Amino acid sequence: MAGLGLIGGSIARALGERGWHVTGDDERVERREQALELGIVHELGLDPDAEITFVATPVLTLVDQVQRALKETHGLVTDVGSVKGAVTAAIDDPRFVGGHPMAGSELEGLSGADGNMFQGAVWVLTPTATTPDATLATVAAVVAEL
């Protein structure tokens, strides 16, 4: 998990509640420490062996953070940004598929992280012409679990 705000924290919490081992990173040190203290993540940093890495950072940082996740991990990578054009145009790696959950809260940060936030929500995935079917299917299965 890259980005531990409301959405990233909610994804991390949801995955952890479903038995996944969750690691997480955030540019804010206090947020990383809070996520660890609250048990939202099991370890800090990006796990190079993670099956999937979610990038939940501000839209203007998505391209850089997706590229970082692709460089530092071996599994699939997806994002949760509301704007897809820039990230899908900049990233042509077959391990990436863009996404955006149609969910949220009036709360902010980890204090609002809710493992049930995505139940019943639509989660839009934006594969490109070069996205392998297996990549799309795996990401779709993980988000459907949430």
Side-chain angles (χ1 to χ4, degrees):
M1 177 65 52
L4 293 167
L6 176 68
I7 300 298
S10 295
I11 293 168
R13 179 163 275 167
L15 290 169
E17 289 172 353
R18 287 157 180 81
W20 289 69
H21 178 78
V22 181
T23 64
D25 197 16
D26 194 278
E27 68 177 14
R28 295 172 57 186
V29 173
E30 65 276 3
R31 191 174 281 167
R32 289 192 305 258
E33 292 172 356
Q34 182 184 20
L36 192 58
E37 288 170 11
L38 293 173
I40 292 174
V41 298
H42 301 107
E43 294 179 51
L44 296 178
L46 296 183
D47 180 355
D49 298 319
E51 180 179 343
I52 188 168
T53 299
F54 288 84
V55 177
T57 61
V59 172
L60 294 178
T61 67
L62 280 178
V63 171
D64 290 341
Q65 290 300 314
V66 167
Q67 289 172 334
R68 174 183 168 230
L70 288 165
K71 181 180 177 185
E72 294 181 18
T73 68
H74 305 292
L76 303 180
V77 176
T78 188
D79 77 306
V80 299
S82 59
V83 180
K84 304 278 41 111
V87 72
T88 57
I91 309 294
D92 64 354
D93 192 296
R95 296 186 298 126
F96 173 74
V97 61
H100 179 59
M102 301 298 183
S105 167
E106 73 283 359
L107 302 174
E108 292 184 10
L110 291 174
S111 61
D114 179 0
N116 295 315
M117 180 179 288
F118 309 104
Q119 289 183 355
V122 171
W123 196 307
V124 177
L125 296 177
T126 56
T128 65
T130 60
T131 303
D133 290 343
T135 298
L136 178 59
T138 300
V139 173
V142 173
V143 300
E145 187 177 337
L146 302 178

